[in-house]
Amino acid sequence: MLIEKLIDLGIVTGSRIGVCAMAGVSLGPFTDYKSSIFMGSAAELWEFGNPQSNNSQRFEAALKRVLDYGTRITFIGSIDDQVVPMESAIYSPANHPYIYRAAFIDGRIHAPDFIAHLVGFALKLRNLGISDHGLIRELSIPLAGSLYSGEGHSRLYYDSAVYDLAILHALETTSTPHPTPCSIQHRAAVAGTQPNPYVLPWIMRGLLEEDFVKTELSHETDELLRQFDAWKPVNKALKGCKIQIRSGSLKAMTIMSPFSSFFSSYLHLHTQCQNHPLDQDTPAQS
């Protein structure tokens, strides 16, 4: 909002601007932490989760204004943030070529496993202008770090690579040939309900059925398959994610193809469909 005022007042006219938004509460903190003990400005943070609130609408208007100016914005979320959901940190509803999204993964704590690569894969698609089908939204709650012992929310502020990435995005990216308005997807107010366990498998199917993924990123999906088989999540929430993906794929893929029954069906569905006899052009039977 400050940058919006600088632009509107004519203080900034032709300078290139970059914003490094780290673990920002664009959609508010985790709703489970909302309590009467938070008052004043702290309590207002949860208003960003309501798209009809004054704070949320002012933020959207300011974002559109600075993007129209040409500001490069880098949204960075921590994969185990204990305060802000990943969906909020990367402001998932917004779409614009000048927005770049990244995840901070503390190498001291996290090995490069399936879930880390899956989050990175989803953000890569968003940066290419391809939908993640709501994957980051579904993973935001399972990825939450410990409120008592976690430091995911603050650790990224001390890593120089975070700032290097934002500077590169601000200074080394080209401009669009024509003005591109920022689009913000309609969203409902954030609720504190548990996610639907049947949604995640279908999100995975939709994401991996994107044409660009099938034609250009097949080697990355093969690597995801290998990592999924070797993935051994340690907390209850992520164990639930693995069960949802594995068990859900059986139900979903039984409908899609009689030869598909495991998570690998998602990653190789396009190959199987090409070889399926029902997909071949055959003469009609009289």
Side-chain angles (χ1 to χ4, degrees):
M1 296 179 185
L2 174 60
I3 296 177
E4 177 195 25
K5 289 185 177 181
L6 293 175
I7 295 172
D8 289 341
L9 292 173
I11 298 175
V12 176
T13 55
S15 303
R16 176 167 287 207
I17 302 174
V19 175
C20 182
M22 299 174 287
V25 288
S26 305
L27 300 177
F30 284 109
T31 56
D32 290 345
Y33 301 151
K34 187 175 182 179
S35 170
S36 58
I37 64 175
F38 293 102
M39 297 181 293
S41 58
E44 291 181 3
L45 294 177
W46 278 271
E47 293 184 8
F48 286 97
N50 179 8
Q52 304 304 320
S53 70
N54 182 55
N55 283 344
S56 183
Q57 292 182 355
R58 286 179 58 202
F59 180 79
E60 288 186 10
L63 179 69
K64 291 178 178 179
R65 178 69 181 94
V66 299
L67 287 171
D68 287 343
Y69 172 84
T71 303
R72 271 57 167 183
I73 300 179
T74 303
F75 287 111
I76 303 178
S78 180
I79 199 171
D80 61 344
D81 195 316
Q82 70 273 32
V83 179
V84 180
M86 177 65 74
E87 178 191 19
S88 178
I90 65 168
Y91 197 45
S92 191
N95 295 282
H96 195 275
Y98 294 159
I99 293 178
Y100 188 86
R101 295 177 167 92
F104 173 78
I105 302 172
D106 191 346
R108 305 172 308 163
I109 303 173
H110 301 283
D113 61 359
F114 167 76
I115 197 67
H117 281 89
L118 182 61
V119 171
F121 185 76
L123 295 182
K124 179 177 183 177
L125 293 182
R126 290 300 307 271
N127 292 333
L128 291 170
I130 302 171
S131 172
D132 70 343
H133 294 260
L135 178 61
I136 295 298
R137 180 189 66 243
E138 288 299 311
L139 292 179
S140 289
I141 293 178
L143 287 173
S146 171
L147 185 62
Y148 302 101
S149 60
E151 56 177 331
H153 182 66
S154 57
R155 179 69 181 86
L156 76 168
Y157 298 116
Y158 302 100
D159 195 308
S160 61
V162 172
Y163 302 94
D164 291 341
L165 179 64
I167 292 172
L168 289 174
H169 178 50
L171 300 181
E172 297 189 2
T173 52
T174 57
S175 300
T176 57
H178 305 288
T180 304
C182 173
S183 63
I184 298 179
Q185 298 174 355
H186 172 75
R187 57 187 175 90
V190 177
T193 57
Q194 292 296 321
N196 186 334
Y198 297 101
V199 171
L200 185 56
W202 289 102
I203 286 177
M204 292 296 300
R205 173 194 168 273
L207 184 146
L208 296 168
E209 274 293 282
E210 288 283 351
D211 290 338
F212 186 85
V213 173
K214 293 190 294 184
T215 57
E216 303 295 333
L217 301 177
S218 59
H219 63 288
E220 294 192 34
T221 57
D222 289 340
E223 178 63 15
L224 278 173
L225 169 61
R226 186 192 64 79
Q227 292 179 344
F228 179 80
D229 292 335
W231 183 37
K232 293 179 173 57
V234 295
N235 65 48
K236 181 179 179 181
L238 291 178
K239 287 179 180 178
C241 286
K242 184 166 187 176
I243 293 172
Q244 289 173 31
I245 295 174
R246 175 170 284 159
S247 62
S249 63
L250 175 60
K251 299 175 182 178
M253 292 301 104
T254 299
I255 299 173
M256 297 289 300
S257 168
F259 305 112
S260 308
S261 59
F262 299 101
F263 175 70
S264 57
S265 305
Y266 285 114
L267 304 180
H268 298 290
L269 179 62
H270 59 283
T271 303
Q272 294 179 352
C273 287
Q274 289 172 356
N275 297 327
H276 198 289
L278 295 180
D279 292 330
Q280 307 299 322
D281 293 329
T282 56
Q285 299 294 325
S286 58

